[in-house]
Amino acid sequence: MVRVRHGLLVLAGVLVFIQFIRPARNISMKDYPADISRLYPMERKVQGILRTSCYDCHSNNTNYPWYAQIQPSGWWLASHIKKGKEELNFNEFGSYSFRRQQSKLKAISNTIKDGTMPISSYTLIHKNARLSKAEQDLILNWIEETKDNLLKN
Amino acid sequence: MKTAILGMALAMLSFSACNSGIKDTGDTGKAIDTGQTRSTTKTVEALSPTKRIVTEYLSLKNALTKDDDKTAAQTGKSLVEAISVVNKASLSTKQSKVFTDIADDAKEHAEHIGANAGNIKHQREHFEALSQEIYDLVKAGGSPSQKLYYDNCPMYNNGKGGNWLSETKEIQNPYLGIGMPTCGSIKEELN
């Protein structure tokens, strides 16, 4: 009995303790001349959808949800954002080579069609990030147009 | 009480390792590895730095024709390495330009193929884009003294089609695999 109580005490202590280990935040006040919206003309609507549904993990600024304040979920979030940015960063889109931009546009299109993006663990809580059929079509059409324009140049 | 202190100390140690946040350095990921080849590299590569890339690509293609996602993943990883070790100085001007143009993207496609054993559909999506890039590289003079065929499968990706490079004259389809191995036609012969 005493052991169990000790064990629980230790666990509680650890839980309290880890709250003090906070990952650096993905927040930046810089201006992004290479942002995708500056490179390629897009309707405000399209830009809005990207910002709501993608930018949290794919840009240099994250709107943090309440559970990011609690560890270990804050760490888990940080690792997701890190991976997401490595894969695709909308703020830095202009720094990618021409082919990489093409590939990224194609990949965005594919993941939206597959329903693999935005990831379900994210949309579970961020209900407003879910893409309706109409929103999906808006993005997909915009990608098609942009890809065609890229190839013409 | 001692156990509690011990537990805290242990926790401290194990979690301090996790405290690696994201810093916005403002640069995107890693720069392209120009891959200064070490003097130990095989002389084969001195002859044609792109030969290994094409060889790995063909192994990848052959794995996909057999629906073999595991081997495809392995060859994807080897391809990443093959792209990394190319010494641009040893390429002709024309090749070097194309190589610079495709290197980071081709590497990324190969990485994804390497990381997606168990998801052959996704591997094929990346293979399709990769094929275009390897074709451009070969066209720029990277054909390693071997005859290659540029094939097309009109059915892939809901009729959008997909191309690939092959070392054999007969069609072996990497997009439809065992299901429809002979679907496709030769678009171009590269010497």
Side-chain angles (χ1 to χ4, degrees), chain A residues 6 10 13-14 17-18 21-22 24 28 32 75 78 81 87 92 95 97 99-100 103-104 106 110 114, chain B residues 1 3-4 7-8 11-12 15 19 21-22 24 26 28 101-102 104-105 108-109 112 121 125 128 133 136:
Chain A
H6 258 197
V10 171
V14 168
F17 174 75
I18 64 172
I21 303 165
R22 306 172 80 81
S28 151
Y32 294 108
W75 301 338
I81 293 166
E87 205 57 56
E92 316 279 358
S95 68
S97 71
R99 284 177 197 260
R100 203 159 169 227
S103 289
K104 290 298 173 200
K106 201 149 79 179
N110 282 336
D114 293 350
Chain B
M1 211 46 233
T3 13
M8 295 279 269
M12 245 175 169
F15 289 125
N19 195 9
I22 307 157
D24 174 17
T28 41
D101 205 28
I102 69 165
D104 64 339
D105 198 52
E108 201 171 6
H109 288 306
H112 272 261
K121 180 176 174 282
E125 281 171 5
E128 196 260 322
E133 286 163 356
D136 288 347

Side-chain angles (χ1 to χ4, degrees), chain B residues 37 39-55 85 90-91 142 144-146:
Chain B
T37 35
S39 53
T40 51
T41 4
K42 294 184 245 18
T43 42
V44 174
E45 276 173 56
L47 290 172
S48 171
T50 51
K51 185 175 169 66
R52 196 176 145 201
I53 295 178
V54 176
T55 308
V85 299
S90 62
L91 299 174
S145 62
Q146 101 190 82

Side-chain angles (χ1 to χ4, degrees), chain B residues 39 42 49 83 86 113 135 145 160 182 186:
Chain B
S39 53
K42 294 184 245 18
I83 295 168
V86 168
I113 291 165
Y135 168 80
S145 62
K160 284 200 183 111
T182 56
I186 297 172

